[in-house]
Amino acid sequence: MTNRIHPKVLKEQVESLPHELAILDVREQGAFALGHLLFASNAPLSRLEIEAPRLVPRRSSAVVLCDDGNESENLVLRASELLSHFGYNNVNILEGGVRDWRKCGYELFSGINVPSKAFGEFIEKTCHTPNITPSNLVDLRQAGTDMVILDSRPAPEFQRMSLPDAINVPGAELIYRIREVAPDPNTVVIVNCAGRTRSIIGAQTLINTSIENKVLALKNGTMGWHLAGFELENGKDRQAPRPTQKNLAWAQSAAQQLAERAGVQYIDWETLSLWCSESEAHTLYLLDVRSPEEYEAGHLPNSQNAPGGQLVQATDTYIGTLGARIVLMDDDGVRAKATASWLIQMGRPNVHVLKNSIGSGTLETGPERIKPLEDALPSSILKIDPISLAAQSQENEIALLDLADSRTYKHGHIAGAWFTVRSQIRSCLDRIPAAPKYVLTSPCGLLARLAAPDVSNYVHAPVKILSRGTDGWVTAGFPLVSGFERMAAETNDVYWLPYDHEGEKTKDQMREYLSWETGLLSQIARDPSVHFEALASK
């Protein structure tokens, strides 16, 4: 029997942390972004078997599930049954969902990654982080000022669009690589991102090291640049080099001083081993804050890749259990310490850095593996290969269901595939003409495999999955089409970013997004569960 928890009781629990507590909002991301609890992580019912073990690795953790309070959809009940089936034994449901939370007078927050976004605004105001407008940046360039523009976003975002001449240096890499791109203390350093948070945090990271260079955040990032009427570049791949030994020594010293100011704590291999053995009693997150490429080249078993800049930018997508033990690791002592200093300022307790290089441990190679809940995948399932699907689909006897999110579907899907949301599978099937055969696909095939039993419950026809998913289709040499061709569900499963829109609507969305970010500061001021704190000035 799942327990129900009143909003007032949950509010008291959140304000009395640091005991462990996980709040999972099981609505699709688009619905979640309309209004949610500040410290809730989004774990859509469609992907719960995938997200739950990553966000809440300990099965005995206290978990509170919430949705919009719509009892006809029963999202929380379905999620509770699923988690209980897989061994989560302390699952609770927020009574009345976000609807009753608001009725009790408590804050709801729109958007995603709100704690991190609000924290960026807090840092700018508290630390008086200096910024520069796009127009003034252009003036500096035309005046021949010695300067570098450092884009603090991950490489894929940078490659999509970037400022002219900008160099890609993701957030946690700034201290690590700054001396390579700005060896002269007279060089002006401009840090940008797409909007505000990573520009502010990136600039303040360098300022906190007491670097001699003048450091400025680009006001409103690439969005501000676009709104000011300036052109962005596409497809660029300008990466800052790794530091020389001399510059690494400087970075290590700077990160150490930063860690001392923030009160960063450390653990050794022996303590790490002990904590791993205690992970059934205390939730433990092992987060490798290096780049994805470095992670793939060698990482500790059971560690997750959480590049430091993104971990600060989107903490709620990596850490679902409040009050858990968090261990950050790298191979140089720079990026983990810098990242830890920010998590501590965000009010995260129990943040520690592994003081030994991960290179002295036993490492695994390859990308991070998706590990759904045990036994979540059906033991036996029918498959079809891309060549057979291409041949049979011409006979118009197959209903092809694509379980990718709507953003991915828009950018590329197999011709004739129906966009389908797993948590709404019954209503989706009502919109899809009945067929003698059903084939499911998703980007790598995992979500299709999870959804196959759901579809089989409602159709009286064979259900197969496409081998290796849509990725396998592309690898086999078959094309994709773009756009919203066949929609069996609304596109509110994801949070649409300003750059996802087109034409003049893009600018309107940018203005709205930037206004939302700056408005978070006044909203968190009304929430006593927020415990942000900036480093004291030197």
Side-chain angles (χ1 to χ4, degrees), residues 46-55 370-373 446-447 450:
S46 292
R47 298 176 49 84
L48 193 58
E49 297 97 328
I50 300 170
E51 300 298 336
R54 186 178 60 81
L55 289 170
I370 300 176
K371 301 175 183 177
L373 292 169
L446 177 58
L447 198 55
L450 286 169

Side-chain angles (χ1 to χ4, degrees), residues 420-470:
T420 309
V421 176
R422 183 187 173 205
S423 63
Q424 304 164 22
I425 198 69
R426 185 170 187 174
S427 60
C428 287
L429 289 170
D430 287 342
R431 298 185 181 99
I432 298 171
K437 304 173 186 176
Y438 289 78
V439 174
L440 313 186
T441 188
S442 60
C444 69
L446 177 58
L447 198 55
R449 188 174 175 186
L450 286 169
D454 304 327
V455 175
S456 295
N457 287 336
Y458 295 110
V459 301
H460 300 289
V463 176
K464 298 181 180 180
I465 65 168
L466 177 61
S467 296
R468 297 180 56 216
T470 308

Side-chain angles (χ1 to χ4, degrees), residues 388-398 437:
S388 298
L389 176 62
Q392 294 181 31
S393 60
Q394 298 176 5
E395 302 170 5
N396 295 319
E397 292 187 349
I398 291 178
K437 304 173 186 176

Side-chain angles (χ1 to χ4, degrees), residues 47 53 76 96 105 111 128 151 159 165 186 216 223-224 245 253 267 318 323 354 378 422 460 466 474 491 533-534:
R47 298 176 49 84
V76 286
H128 308 289
D151 191 312
Q159 290 162 7
D165 302 322
N186 295 312
L216 303 166
M223 292 188 201
Q245 279 303 121
S253 175
I267 65 169
Y318 293 96
L354 179 63
R422 183 187 173 205
H460 300 289
L466 177 61
V474 173
T491 60
E533 184 175 354

Side-chain angles (χ1 to χ4, degrees), residues 151-188:
D151 191 312
S152 61
R153 299 171 299 157
E157 289 188 54
F158 178 83
Q159 290 162 7
R160 181 177 179 185
M161 78 283 187
S162 60
L163 269 66
D165 302 322
I167 301 171
N168 188 208
V169 190
E173 308 289 315
L174 284 163
I175 298 176
Y176 185 61
R177 302 175 191 262
I178 183 62
R179 289 284 177 154
E180 294 298 319
V181 292
D184 187 340
N186 295 312
T187 301
V188 177

